[in-house]
Amino acid sequence: MVLGKVFHYTFDAVLFSTVLAGIRRSSGFTPNTANITDPTLRSVADTFLGAGETIFDIAQMRAMNTEYFKKEPKAGSR
């Protein structure tokens, strides 16, 4: 029972971090970890966000190398 909750919360945290990575990639907005005064918590936050970046990179690479996705030109470009 406890192991299931730990797995669930870990999965949710990684999913949230990946969404934040997608927001950063598409809009440029990112959480400002410089506002975290405790260096240990800042390091944890940076590691957390880095994990999302890694998962996002893996998902993007998999999408690029499959026939199920195709890249369309941006609207308004030639």
Side-chain angles (χ1 to χ4, degrees), residues 53-73:
E53 291 285 335
T54 301
I55 299 297
F56 191 86
D57 287 340
I58 291 169
Q60 186 177 22
M61 181 181 58
R62 302 283 267 169
M64 286 175 24
N65 294 324
T66 184
E67 62 187 39
Y68 297 110
F69 290 93
K70 66 178 183 173
K71 187 171 184 176
E72 295 185 3

Side-chain angles (χ1 to χ4, degrees), residues 5-70:
K5 284 187 178 187
V6 169
F7 179 76
H8 181 264
Y9 291 140
T10 302
F11 182 80
D12 286 348
V14 170
L15 184 62
F16 182 67
S17 178
T18 305
V19 167
L20 289 176
I23 290 171
R24 188 188 72 77
R25 296 272 176 95
S26 65
S27 69
F29 290 106
T30 187
N32 187 5
T33 57
N35 287 340
I36 301 173
T37 57
D38 183 25
T40 304
L41 289 178
R42 187 179 322 118
S43 175
V44 169
D46 288 336
T47 302
F48 173 73
L49 294 172
E53 291 285 335
T54 301
I55 299 297
F56 191 86
D57 287 340
I58 291 169
Q60 186 177 22
M61 181 181 58
R62 302 283 267 169
M64 286 175 24
N65 294 324
T66 184
E67 62 187 39
Y68 297 110
F69 290 93
K70 66 178 183 173

